[in-house]
Amino acid sequence: MIRRFQQLPSLVCQNPHINSVHQLYLFAFKVLTAIKPIETPEQDQDYSKLLRTLLDNHEDVVTTLAKGFRECRSIMTPEEVKAFLDNVVTSRLGIRMVAEHHIALHRDTQGLIGVISTKLSPAKTVRECARFASSQCERRFYRSPEVEVVGHTSVSFPYFAMPLKYILQELLKNAMRATAEHHEKDLTLPAVVATICNNEHDFTIR
């Protein structure tokens, strides 16, 4: 990730928003690479606290980068910006999941091993994300479509909830926005339908 920042045009790197995020990554790299091998529970606790601090510091990275790239529209093409941000989001999601998993392993939470849900329900997860997406939609359009969950709604299995929730929130926000815009003049909004299908090896949410 640091190398990708260094490959940006010089004027883009000098943007205050983009430079602040670059410095966050540099600081995290410096701190983490300086850690000696962990040999005691106390050291592990200190390491977990450090991870928590770094995660909190990086909470607004994507928003900050978006502000910076809006100010650099004349320097980079939309395609170049999208490619960079896609890489940031993908890398960030993976890094945060590993770090959150390490931190969560220190907690004894029923139904969870770290951040892995031992019996994740896709239907329940869709409904949780729908509530969040609905609140976002109502802020902009003052109403939101209902979300109907159909298909294999009773299935559950071990899975990482974090990336699934992130993806579902974005998909549902997009679906709700498109529905509200397309039916702007209608008295009622048609429902957004989420279909869950699974077999022995994988599952699909459409």
Side-chain angles (χ1 to χ4, degrees):
M1 182 54 64
I2 293 174
R3 183 172 297 177
R4 287 189 174 274
F5 275 97
Q6 294 171 341
Q7 292 172 344
L8 290 171
S10 177
L11 287 176
V12 175
C13 287
Q14 294 175 34
N15 177 275
H17 300 297
I18 295 173
N19 183 58
S20 68
V21 175
H22 185 196
Q23 295 304 315
L24 281 176
Y25 278 101
L26 287 172
F27 176 75
F29 179 79
K30 179 180 179 180
V31 170
L32 291 173
T33 54
I35 295 175
K36 297 180 180 179
I38 297 173
E39 299 177 345
T40 67
E42 292 74 21
Q43 290 175 333
D44 190 37
Q45 288 290 344
D46 290 340
Y47 177 64
S48 296
K49 291 178 182 178
L50 173 62
L51 288 180
R52 181 76 270 161
T53 299
L54 292 176
L55 286 172
D56 292 343
N57 290 345
H58 286 245
E59 186 70 30
D60 298 322
V61 157
V62 175
T63 303
T64 304
L65 284 176
K67 291 179 181 177
F69 280 113
R70 276 198 297 269
E71 297 174 359
C72 298
R73 288 191 296 263
S74 62
I75 304 174
M76 294 179 67
T77 66
E79 292 75 18
E80 291 173 329
V81 172
K82 182 179 183 302
F84 183 87
L85 290 177
D86 284 349
N87 184 270
V88 169
V89 171
T90 302
S91 299
R92 182 174 182 269
L93 184 59
I95 292 170
R96 290 188 72 87
M97 188 168 66
V98 172
E100 292 280 10
H101 183 62
H102 180 90
I103 295 170
L105 285 171
H106 293 81
R107 299 192 296 265
D108 185 14
T109 306
Q110 186 176 3
L112 291 173
I113 300 175
V115 296
I116 302 172
S117 175
T118 57
K119 290 185 178 180
L120 183 137
S121 167
K124 181 180 178 181
T125 305
V126 170
R127 294 187 182 102
E128 290 175 355
C129 294
R131 286 193 289 271
F132 171 79
S134 179
S135 67
Q136 298 296 306
C137 186
E138 289 174 1
R139 286 182 183 178
R140 180 173 178 181
F141 299 100
Y142 303 103
R143 60 177 182 166
S144 64
E146 296 291 329
V147 175
E148 296 180 6
V149 184
V150 300
H152 299 158
T153 57
S154 61
V155 66
S156 63
F157 41 77
Y159 201 72
F160 291 95
M162 184 188 303
L164 180 60
K165 287 182 177 180
Y166 178 82
I167 294 168
L168 285 174
Q169 286 174 358
E170 294 304 312
L171 289 175
L172 288 168
K173 282 195 298 183
N174 291 341
M176 288 183 177
R177 183 185 71 246
T179 301
E181 290 177 345
H182 186 71
H183 297 275
E184 182 180 5
K185 298 181 180 180
D186 296 345
L187 294 177
T188 59
L189 296 176
V192 172
V193 180
T195 305
I196 299 171
C197 301
N198 83 291
N199 56 34
E200 294 181 2
H201 304 290
D202 46 36
F203 72 97
T204 301
I205 301 176
R206 182 176 68 87

